[in-house]
Structure formats: C-alpha cells, structure tokens
Amino acid sequence: MSSKKPRVMSGMRTTNRLHIGNYFGALKNWIELQKDYECFFGAMNWHALTDAYKEPEVFKKYNRDIITDWIAFGIDPEKSVIFIQSEIPELMELNMLFTMITPLPWLDRVTTWKDSIDDLKKKDVCNLGRYAYPVLQAADISIFRGEIVPVGPDQVPHLELAREIVRRLNHLYKLKIPEPRALLTTNKSKEAEQKDPTKTGAGNELVILGTDGRKMSKSYNNFVPLLDEPENIEKICMKMQTDPARVTRTDPGNPDICPEFSFHKLFSKLEDRKEIDNNCRKALFGCGDCKKWLARNINAFMAGPLEKRKEFLNNPRQLDEIIENGCTRAREEGVKTLDEIYSGMGWK
Ligand code: TRP
C-alpha cells in the first residue's frame, strides 16, 4: 500500500443489511476510489446504536454481513483497510477529546439534528449520543487522518463540523491533522453513464426510489436487498408498482412515471431500455413481462457477488482474518495519530 496516495475514509452505519441504495449511493464509488487512494472503510456500529439502543443486538448483528457484501462487490482487503468501529479503542479516545473541544453551539447548528429533533423525540432517541453523532463521525475520520470522505449530500453538515473540529484541534495544540473534505457521491445510473442525464435529482444525481415509488427506505419496507436469491428478487420485482394508468394489458403506459422502470435505469442497458420503453408506450407487453425482464437483469448483476458471498459464509474463518487484520492495521494508524496529538498537547 503506497503511503503517498491521498487517504480516503468512509463508513456505513450497521443498522441493517445493505440494499441497492447503499450500493449506488456509496459502495460503487468506494470500489472505484480504491484505485487511486489509500482507503479506510468502517462498519460503524456505535453510530448504529445511537438510535437503536433499544435493540442492542444491532451492535453485532450486521457487522460481518455488511463487510461480506462490501468484499463480494469488490472492496479489496489487500488494498483497503476494513474495520469495525467498536474494535478501535483509539477512535473512542479521540472522540472523548473531541467532545471537550467542540462548543455546544456548533452542534446546535448541525441541521441533521436541528431538523429532526421532533422526530427524534417521538422515537425516544433524543439522546446525548445522537446529539454528538457528528463528533464521533469527526473522530472516525481524524483518527485515520482521512483527507477525503465520500458521502451522500445529507452528510455535508457533518463534514463541515468535522473540518471545524479539526481546525480547532490543530490551532489549540499546534498540529497538522488534515481537514477532511467531503467527496459527494454522484449516483450515476446506467442512463447517466450513457450521457443521458436522469430527470430525477439535481444534475446527474439519481434519487434511488423504492419499489412503491417513494424514497427507498428500510422503514417503508420498499427496498431491494443488495444481494438475494434469484427467486426472492423476482418476487420483489413482481410486487413493484407501475404506472397506475396501465390498468389492463392493452393500456399504454408511461415509463417516465413508472416506479418499476426507475429500476431498469439502474440495471438495464440502453438497448434493453429502449425496447422496454417502446413496448410499454405501445402496450406491446404487460407489466409482468417488464418485471420479469428486470428480475433477470438484477439477478445477472448480483450473480457474481452472490457466489462470493456464499463462499464467505461457508468459510467464516477467512472473514474473521480479514476483519482482524483490518482492525490491527486501523489501530496502528490510530496509535500514530494519538501519539501525534498527545505530543502536541505536551502529554508525551
Ligand atoms: N454518518 C454516516 C451516514 O449515515 C456514516 C458514517 C459514520 C460515516 N462515520 C463515518 C461516513 C465517517 C463517513 C465517515 O452515512
């Protein structure tokens, strides 16, 4: 691993199994970044617990599962450091220091807290951990001296706060920890890649919709898992909503407003989509045919990674080793960073 490459750091909360939104919104980009950057990717289980503390099993339940999917799709443990957040005590130590140097008004300003406070109260997750969530996120990044942080647009306020905290740290103790910057994930669909920007979202950004046309979310139960058996994928596809104007097989439809068609934009090639578009508008085939076509394309996309996932599940020791090695490597970096900080503070 060349130390000259700029350093990328990112993570996912381990609240559930991954769905295709996590792939198009993050993982796909992570896989590409491995070429040009030294990458640290974390399964963030403390972050998962901020609003799931009533289901403590969440802390452990999905860590391995999520990491398995990362690797199945192409995160390469030889190139990138893969770790579980709670296994890195140095990270928690830096978090503690960060809580001291972060003035409360900085946290009050974070929009992800401010805007969701009523909702958080309702869900009984209006707690100190949730409030300090972005401080922990700043510690995740800085313990590895991360420079570039690939995230979705919703995370920009957290990255702004992280920069401010690091700036203050550097100023207080005369340090040179890099100020991290967000690298916005552009969720380009196949359509956008083929120079045909999607109409959803701003610019080339694709909003990943769920099977019912609303935003894809675990809580709406409208998601497509990132990896699943072909029969299950077909079942999910068959239940997808389509253009409501197509009541019978002979009614023409409009792919532009069809939730099911939005998945063809992600999984089907331009030639397929042209034919599907034509078949739909002229009522040359039924929605069932369209859905089966989609299921075939999604299953083709998942086939390779699904095989890999099964190999891992059959050989848990291999995954244990990858995680152990990743955490060891992550801790080495953590110790270095803390040494540097504590020297600056005159403690070493
Ligand atoms: N808060 C991020 C999200 O919800 C997840 C996350 C935790 C993260 N720690 C991080 C992302 C550090 C980037 C860097 O998507």
Side-chain angles (χ1 to χ4, degrees), residues 9-13 30 42 44 47 85 133 136-138 140-141 149-152 154-155 158-159:
M9 195 282 138
S10 199
M12 290 187 199
R13 273 158 39 101
W30 289 9
M44 302 308 188
H47 272 123
Q85 188 183 35
Y133 180 116
L136 178 58
Q137 187 165 347
D140 292 335
I141 300 165
V149 187
V151 281
D154 60 314
Q155 295 295 307
H158 293 174
L159 262 293

